[in-house]
Each structure stands twice: as structure tokens, then as C-alpha cells.
Amino acid sequence: MKKINSLTLSIVAAATMFGSSISADTIQDSLTGGKMTADLRAFYFNGDRDNRTDREALAVGGIVKYESAPYYGFSVGSAFYVSKDVLNKGDQTAQKGSIANGGSVNIVTRNVAGNTEMVNYKDGTAINSLAEAYIQYNIGKTAIKYGRQRLNTPLMNDYYNRFLPNTFEATLLTNKDLPDTEILGIYATRWKYKASDEFIDMTEGLGSNYDIDSDVMVVGAINKSIPKTKLQAYYYMVDDMMNTFYGQVDNKVNFGNLFISSALQYLDQKADGKKVLGDIDSYLAGAKVTVGYKGFSIKGMYDQVGDHTIRGSGTDYHTIGWSKFINFTDIQIDGEALNAGAVSYGGALAYQYKSLNTAVKYIRIDQDLAKQASGNTPNTRPSSDEYNLDVKYKINKVSKLRVRLAYIDYESTHKNEFDEVNTRIIYDYNFTLASK
């Protein structure tokens, strides 16, 4: 299964969008009894950076999705993703570039004049993509889902922190027959980065200089048999690149209005086969503790990395079809806390009053420049301090607003220093269009 062919996608999309014209009575009931939702978003992004080009963007769009009701265990779904520029600040003179060709595909791009453009590609074009199109079958406590879909595991997920999420062409198998346990398996062949409208092979984003064409396989388990505790374990396999184990333990206890939650994480990563990213042999270990009373909470976080930079997360999030920064100490900008030898720590103070949630956060990253030089590190960084204000307000049942302000201060004894003031304003409007 190297890729999900266009015929499969066409059948799924046609069935979900135009089911009444091709279905018998019972299938028609399944399709007309489904649910259509809209997740609309407006996103303003501004990055004022020292020694690098500033970035600014304002985008509107979102996700319109349809899911059918089950028919003898079968269901289908599809979702169309749109992101459109409404803040065009200059001539768009740079060429369009995909991930595989080294193009910049962040929420913002910049043209050759140094101005910043909107969202998607270097030429500022919008995203219009059939990003989800899948068929699912449920029998008993087992489900299999095949096609374009969002995934939700620690190292392979939708990374929905900017305008649109990542999606994957994959087969997902889950089973819940064991008490308090979910077992899953994933075989992913292609992925679409959140700021792109094209699906590419899982390792294609590394570029033509790397002799690799591998899919990603995942096995994992989630167990909740211990009261107030969640155990997770995953193993990720990428032939000729690396194999990665990730485990996490979460616990929460309540004492009246007081609660204490804690979590431990551990990642072990080793090179495989041709070792196209080098002789990787590293780890990530972290912990976090939160104490809350009524609407107040205080959190402490800590992470440390071994002698090699963690790959497939962090700095690779836009080139390898994996995920977000997995470390507990990631808050917004991130000064590459997954670099070789990095030690990061900090805290957060939060208060929730009715529909308003406000948090102030701080993270310190102590970098080891010697280990970065020898530890397979794509983006070397000096040590840094990051300060963050995060405000969330639920306006009503269907809309919410989030404002995120951050400042990262790098130590000045490094040639790549680039401090940044980062502003993100996000408005979401989510509702159900039709449901029976």
C-alpha cells in the first residue's frame, strides 16, 4: 500500500457529498442521517524578529466536514480545508515551492523583497484541499479506518497549532477488547503538512539528497486500569532512518477543590538501516506537575535531551511526517528544546474565571553548543528565555477567541541570535450544519 489511489478518494468523496444519487434506500438513510460540521477560523500572526525577516499574516477559512451514519458497521467521511490570504503586503515575486523542493510552508511566507505574505506558499496562494476522505468499519470493539485522516498519537498527530491541521494517508486499526485498554496500529504512506495543499511521501520532505523512501509504522497501547492514571506506550518505525519508543504516564488526584496532576515522559530514539539522518542514539526525559485550587493553578515543567538531537519532532515538524514539539516545555516559539544536550525547565501560572482563562508561562532552555556540533543538529541555537501570555475566552457555545503573546530572548554570544516577539490572535467559530 504505497499510496491511497485517486479512485478510492473519488469514491469516498462522491459518496459523502452526493450520496443520494448513488445509493439504495438503506444507504441513502445512512448518508442523509449523517452530520456536517464547520470549523471556521480567522488567524492573525506576527513575528517581529532580530537579524531575520519579520513575518506577518492574516488568514481566514477553515474546515467543512461530513460524516455519514453507520451502515452495517461502515461509514464514510470527507473534509475540505480552505485558507485564504486577506493581508497581502507586497509583490509576490518568489516561486511556489513544496516541502519536497525546500519551499517555506509556514502560516506565513516572505517574498524576495523581505515582506511577508500569507499563509501557504512562497507565491501567497491559498490552500484548497480535500484533506480528509476515508472509509471506516466498526465491528464489536474493533475499528479500521482507511484513507486521508487526522491522527492523534504523541509523535504522529495533526499538530493543530496554526491555521489548519496535518493530515495523513494511512490505515488506522484500533481495538478495545482488553479491559480499560486501547491497542492501535498505524501504517502511513503519505502526509499533508498543515500549510500545504499537497500530499507527499512520508520522507519526501527531507529532499533529494537523502536516499530514502520509507513509510511510517506505529504500534501503541493506552491503559487506564490504574485509578486516576493513564499509561501510554508507542513504537514508531521508519526503515533506514530511525526507530523511536515513546512512553508517558499521567496521574490526577482530587482533594475537594484542590487537585494535583503529574506526568512523566520518556523517549528513546536509535538509527535504523542506512541511517540516512546519521548515527542517532538519544533520549528525551521529562516531568511536569500541576497544582490547582478552584480557578487557580501553578505548573512546573522539566525536560532534558541526550547526546543527539531528537528527530521527527521539533525541528523536523515540517519535513518529516510526524508531529509537534513533544517536550513538556514547549509553550509557543520554542528555542529548539529538543537539540542535543538541551535542558529546559519552567513554569506556568493560570487562572480561570467563568469563560475566561489566562496563563503566564516561562521557559528556560540551557543549550550545549558542543553537543549540538557533534549531535546531528539541523538548527543550532544558543540558550534562551521565553515569556508567554496566553488568554482564552469562550464567547458562546459556537465561538471562542485566543490571544497568544510571546517573547524569546537568546543569549547574545552566538552568531545565530534572533530574538522574537510573537503575536497570535485566533478566532474560531464552530457549528453543526446538518445532523439527524
Side-chain angles (χ1 to χ4, degrees):
M1 184 182 65
K2 186 56 191 171
K3 63 183 67 176
I4 296 168
N5 61 55
S6 58
L7 178 59
T8 301
L9 296 176
S10 298
I11 291 172
V12 173
T16 57
M17 298 300 186
F18 307 107
S20 61
S21 64
I22 63 171
S23 61
D25 288 343
T26 51
I27 296 177
Q28 184 175 11
D29 290 342
S30 170
L31 295 170
T32 58
K35 180 172 69 173
M36 181 171 287
T37 58
D39 298 328
L40 306 183
R41 169 168 284 192
F43 196 128
Y44 175 76
F45 181 100
N46 186 292
D48 184 0
R49 308 191 291 181
D50 288 353
N51 300 327
R52 296 183 74 193
T53 306
D54 293 339
R55 306 180 295 174
E56 187 176 28
L58 176 60
V60 296
I63 302 170
V64 177
K65 182 173 182 177
Y66 175 82
E67 293 180 292
S68 74
Y71 173 68
Y72 289 100
F74 287 96
S75 59
V76 292
S78 66
F80 196 74
Y81 291 9
V82 176
S83 175
K84 176 63 179 174
D85 176 18
V86 293
L87 183 63
N88 191 320
K89 296 187 64 178
D91 294 333
Q92 299 173 11
T93 54
Q95 296 298 312
K96 179 176 179 178
S98 68
I99 299 173
N101 295 325
S104 174
V105 287
N106 277 319
I107 185 172
V108 294
T109 60
R110 55 181 179 270
N111 63 20
V112 295
N115 295 322
T116 55
E117 304 301 336
M118 140 70 192
V119 308
N120 323 98
Y121 296 108
K122 288 184 178 180
D123 67 352
T125 54
I127 292 174
N128 296 281
S129 176
L130 181 64
E132 297 180 52
Y134 58 83
I135 184 169
Q136 181 168 324
Y137 179 65
N138 291 64
I139 180 169
K141 296 182 179 181
T142 299
I144 184 168
K145 189 175 184 180
Y146 172 74
R148 293 182 174 179
Q149 58 187 288
R150 293 162 71 169
L151 298 174
N152 182 27
T153 75
L155 272 174
M156 182 180 288
N157 53 58
D158 60 16
Y159 199 7
Y160 196 15
N161 73 326
R162 292 196 181 176
F163 198 87
L164 295 169
N166 296 338
T167 54
F168 301 82
E169 293 186 355
T171 300
L172 168 65
L173 177 66
T174 59
N175 178 271
K176 297 181 179 180
D177 280 317
L178 296 177
D180 303 310
T181 302
E182 178 179 358
I183 297 173
L184 64 86
I186 300 171
Y187 188 87
T189 59
R190 291 168 70 82
W191 78 302
K192 187 190 78 63
Y193 179 58
K194 56 190 175 184
S196 173
D197 61 4
E198 62 178 317
F199 282 81
I200 63 173
D201 292 341
M202 295 299 294
T203 55
E204 185 179 343
L206 289 170
S208 58
N209 292 331
Y210 292 86
D211 181 21
I212 186 171
D213 182 14
S214 296
D215 302 328
V216 178
M217 292 179 287
V218 186
V219 292
I222 303 168
N223 181 271
K224 298 180 180 179
S225 59
I226 302 174
K228 304 182 185 302
T229 301
K230 179 180 178 181
L231 307 174
Q232 300 179 75
Y234 298 85
Y235 194 67
Y236 299 80
M237 295 160 279
V238 189
D239 289 344
D240 293 324
M241 183 187 293
M242 60 194 174
N243 296 320
T244 304
F245 167 82
Y246 181 79
Q248 184 170 323
V249 181
D250 295 87
N251 177 266
K252 184 177 182 180
V253 293
N254 294 279
F255 306 94
N257 291 323
L258 176 73
F259 76 86
I260 302 173
S261 66
S262 59
L264 300 172
Q265 64 176 176
Y266 181 77
L267 178 149
D268 183 79
Q269 189 169 83
K270 289 181 171 56
D272 178 78
K274 296 178 182 178
K275 302 181 180 180
V276 297
L277 292 182
D279 194 15
I280 300 170
D281 187 356
S282 197
Y283 71 89
L284 166 72
K288 63 180 178 180
V289 177
T290 303
V291 178
Y293 180 74
K294 295 186 176 180
F296 291 93
S297 67
I298 185 170
K299 178 193 294 186
M301 305 92 84
Y302 176 87
D303 276 296
Q304 69 177 42
V305 178
D307 292 340
H308 291 84
T309 295
I310 302 300
R311 305 302 300 268
S313 178
T315 189
D316 292 311
Y317 70 86
H318 65 290
T319 55
I320 302 175
W322 278 29
S323 80
K324 62 183 180 181
F325 291 78
I326 198 171
N327 51 299
F328 288 156
T329 53
D330 174 51
I331 55 175
Q332 184 163 330
I333 302 175
D334 189 88
E336 303 294 351
L338 296 176
N339 277 357
V343 175
S344 53
Y345 49 90
L349 181 64
Y351 177 67
Q352 181 169 350
Y353 177 73
K354 296 183 178 180
S355 298
L356 179 66
N357 187 300
T358 303
V360 291
K361 308 171 188 178
Y362 166 76
I363 292 295
R364 168 69 182 181
I365 305 176
D366 290 325
Q367 299 282 9
D368 189 322
L369 297 181
K371 287 185 178 180
Q372 289 186 37
S374 61
N376 191 18
T377 304
N379 293 332
T380 58
R381 291 288 188 274
S383 298
S384 62
D385 297 280
E386 182 175 345
Y387 309 86
N388 180 280
L389 172 65
D390 192 351
V391 180
K392 303 175 185 177
Y393 178 63
K394 185 176 180 181
I395 300 170
N396 50 44
K397 292 182 179 179
V398 297
S399 61
K400 56 187 177 182
L401 179 68
R402 185 177 187 183
V403 179
R404 306 183 68 188
L405 305 175
Y407 170 63
I408 190 165
D409 180 23
Y410 287 91
E411 292 184 353
S412 59
T413 57
H414 191 269
K415 64 181 181 180
N416 289 331
E417 178 197 4
F418 43 92
D419 297 352
E420 179 176 351
V421 177
N422 188 288
T423 304
R424 306 179 190 187
I425 303 173
I426 308 164
Y427 174 74
D428 288 311
Y429 190 79
N430 315 114
F431 60 96
T432 300
L433 294 170
S435 179
K436 289 187 178 181

